[in-house]
């Protein structure tokens, strides 16, 4: 049994609501806005219960299960009855880990057209979501930010690690040259790792790969799916992305749009800051591709070549390969 009450603050649709969700015999309180999506509600519930959003099933007697789609708003889904009863059914990841080798599923990338991108990052509603995330999310520094360093933000799944293949030892699924890459990048960049999965998964994976205790580099911080925001595009519907603006707002004295770069195999993840994103070739089928994948070696060259520039956001990271070529030619010819 659960109940919810809505208390009004601000304009229509922006009322903050306190929902009470019952799970495993306990009640949890989550705060959301009425115009948040059900997906966002699940993220809040995850915060309280640690059950990943994709594992959650929300039961609300007044609404059929078909209507509880993740991209519908809470307002339209629950129709704000004075008394809401909501129950969540789901399993925490710890238990799932026992029989599940691979991580949470990630759907294929899609190409957003330019108008889409401009529209999404400038939309007031998305800027509001970012603001809310900035006020809610805490980034815990594992190591202090360093004066004068740029910022490198890295995705995990398919970027540093093939999370869909299986192996006896997770090191077999690590992208080749990972530690060499991080060691070299660390000279010029503070490094943060941001995954669309849970913090538990991020810590587990990075710990297994030896990224968190390597003597040659230090990781500044880890971020998880709770730091993401949900945006809507006219052509591709609703999806989650990783707004660097969150990091810039929390560490304004160190990082900004000019000194940050982010690697991810999904372009949509940097839709809120398209000038700072580099789409990395996904590292899949580790057993087959382990011998030939030198993406991180070549990207090290790129990172070090651009490290001396004042403003990284002036670069077109799509052309990173030709940038290295031109750069090395320039150096050869003195
Ligand atoms: Mg990925």
């Amino acid at each position: 049994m659960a109940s919810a009450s809505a208390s009004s603050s601000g304009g229509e649709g922006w009322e903050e609501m306190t929902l009470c969700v019952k799970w495993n015999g306990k009640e949890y309180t989550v705060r959301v806005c009425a115009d948040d999506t059900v997906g966002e509600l699940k993220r809040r519930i995850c915060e309280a219960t640690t059950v990943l959003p994709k594992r959650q099933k929300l039961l609300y007697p007044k609404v059929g299960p078909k209507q509880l789609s993740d991209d519908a708003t809470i307002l339209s889904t629950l129709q704000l009855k004075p008394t809401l009863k909501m129950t969540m059914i789901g399993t925490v990841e710890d238990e799932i880990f026992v029989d599940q080798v691979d991580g949470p599923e990630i759907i294929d990338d899609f190409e957003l057209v330019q108008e889409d991108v401009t529209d999404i990052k400038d939309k007031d509603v998305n800027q509001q979501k970012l603001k809310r995330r900035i006020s809610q999310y805490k980034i815990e520094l594992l190591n202090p930010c360093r004066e004068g360093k740029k910022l490198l933000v890295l995705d995990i799944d398919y970027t540093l690690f093939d999370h869909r293949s299986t192996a006896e030892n997770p090191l077999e699924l690590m992208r080749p040259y990972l530690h060499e890459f991080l060691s070299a990048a660390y000279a010029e960049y503070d490094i943060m790792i941001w995954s669309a999965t849970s913090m538990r998964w991020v810590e587990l994976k990075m710990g297994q790969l030896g990224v968190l205790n390597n003597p040659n580099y230090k990781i500044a911080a880890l971020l998880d799916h709770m730091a993401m925001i949900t945006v809507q595009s006219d052509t591709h519907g609703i999806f989650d992305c990783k707004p660097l603006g969150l990091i810039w707002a929390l560490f304004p004295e160190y990082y900004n749009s000019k000194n940050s770069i982010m690697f991810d195999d999904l372009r949509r993840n940097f839709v809120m800051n398209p000038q700072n994103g580099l789409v990395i070739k996904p590292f899949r089928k580790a057993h087959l591709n382990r011998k030939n994948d030198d993406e991180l070696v070549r990207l090290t060259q790129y990172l070090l070549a651009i490290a001396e520039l004042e403003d990284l956001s002036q670069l077109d990271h799509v052309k990173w390969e030709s940038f290295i070529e031109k750069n090395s030619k320039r150096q050869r010819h003195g």
Side-chain angles (χ1 to χ4, degrees):
M1 289 299 121
S3 65
S5 60
S7 60
S8 167
S9 68
E12 195 182 338
W14 289 95
E15 294 105 310
E16 264 202 308
M17 303 161 63
T18 304
L19 296 176
C20 190
V21 181
K22 189 176 167 181
W23 174 66
N24 271 5
K26 279 197 198 135
E27 287 191 354
Y28 299 84
T29 305
V30 292
R31 290 178 69 76
V32 288
C33 289
D35 73 337
D36 277 337
T37 58
V38 171
E40 178 68 17
L41 169 63
K42 286 183 174 175
R43 250 206 281 268
R44 297 291 128 213
I45 296 176
C46 172
E47 208 165 33
T49 63
T50 74
V51 177
L52 281 182
K54 64 172 292 193
R55 307 279 176 217
Q56 296 176 19
K57 294 219 184 328
L58 296 181
L59 304 180
Y60 173 61
K62 298 269 166 66
V63 186
K66 273 175 300 206
Q67 293 170 59
L68 285 170
S69 100
D70 279 0
D71 50 0
T73 65
I74 297 169
L75 187 72
S76 67
T77 304
L78 303 183
Q79 287 148 4
L80 272 191
K81 298 279 156 49
T83 314
L84 299 179
K85 294 183 194 299
M86 193 187 302
T87 297
M88 189 270 282
I89 297 176
T91 316
V92 287
E93 220 181 341
D94 276 343
E95 295 164 39
I96 292 167
F97 263 124
V98 176
D99 56 15
Q100 186 191 325
V101 189
D102 53 0
E105 195 173 347
I106 285 178
I107 45 174
D108 284 335
D109 203 6
F110 45 74
E111 288 300 318
L112 293 163
V113 293
Q114 191 54 44
E115 294 87 287
D116 250 5
V117 172
T118 321
D119 197 41
I120 289 170
K121 75 177 166 55
D122 294 335
K123 249 188 190 160
D124 192 47
V125 59
N126 295 333
Q127 289 298 329
Q128 292 294 337
K129 283 181 183 178
L130 175 57
K131 261 191 203 151
R132 257 187 276 164
R133 190 61 80 250
I134 290 164
S135 68
Q136 288 163 335
Y137 195 82
K138 284 202 174 55
I139 297 178
E140 216 177 291
L141 286 179
L142 304 178
N143 291 288
C145 308
R146 295 171 302 163
E147 195 89 44
K149 298 299 177 193
K150 293 183 158 63
L151 174 68
L152 171 64
V153 178
L154 299 167
D155 167 51
I156 297 179
D157 291 342
Y158 286 147
T159 296
L160 307 182
F161 182 78
D162 172 14
H163 62 296
R164 299 308 274 180
S165 297
T166 55
E168 280 189 22
N169 186 336
L171 290 174
E172 295 170 35
L173 306 178
M174 179 175 88
R175 191 161 210 163
Y177 309 105
L178 176 61
H179 296 296
E180 292 85 346
F181 163 75
L182 292 172
S183 304
Y186 182 69
E188 304 291 342
Y189 297 80
D190 283 344
I191 302 164
M192 294 193 184
I193 292 174
W194 190 344
S195 169
T197 57
S198 68
M199 189 53 83
R200 158 126 185 94
W201 171 261
V202 177
E203 286 173 345
L204 182 85
K205 274 304 137 223
M206 292 300 96
Q208 283 175 339
L209 300 186
V211 166
L212 300 179
N213 58 359
N214 192 294
N216 299 320
Y217 59 85
K218 292 188 169 82
I219 301 299
L222 305 174
L223 288 82
D224 67 355
H225 65 116
M226 300 296 298
M228 297 173 79
I229 62 168
T230 308
V231 297
Q232 185 155 17
S233 100
D234 295 338
T235 48
H236 292 92
I238 200 147
F239 61 93
D240 289 346
C241 67
K242 302 173 178 172
L244 287 179
L246 171 71
I247 300 174
W248 299 335
L250 295 179
F251 304 100
E253 65 274 43
Y254 293 100
Y255 314 123
N256 53 59
S257 63
K258 292 183 175 179
N259 71 2
S260 304
I261 183 167
M262 175 178 184
F263 292 178
D264 204 301
D265 62 300
L266 298 178
R267 179 182 303 280
R268 64 167 180 269
N269 275 330
F270 30 80
V271 69
M272 290 294 282
N273 31 259
Q275 279 310 110
N276 302 93
L278 183 150
V279 186
I280 192 169
K281 192 175 80 189
F283 178 59
R284 293 200 181 100
K285 300 200 173 95
H287 300 295
L288 203 68
N289 295 322
R290 209 146 41 122
K291 289 191 180 67
N292 308 317
D293 187 290
D294 64 349
E295 197 82 348
L296 291 182
V297 175
R298 296 183 309 123
L299 280 167
T300 304
Q301 273 181 284
Y302 183 61
L303 278 184
L304 296 180
I306 64 172
E308 60 198 48
L309 301 176
E310 276 289 300
D311 185 357
L312 303 187
S313 68
Q314 296 298 312
L315 293 164
D316 180 359
H317 295 312
V318 172
K319 298 178 182 151
W320 70 270
E321 288 173 298
S322 61
F323 184 96
I324 308 178
E325 238 167 74
K326 275 188 217 145
N327 198 55
S328 60
K329 258 186 214 152
R330 217 176 16 242
Q331 296 203 331
R332 270 202 303 275
H333 296 117

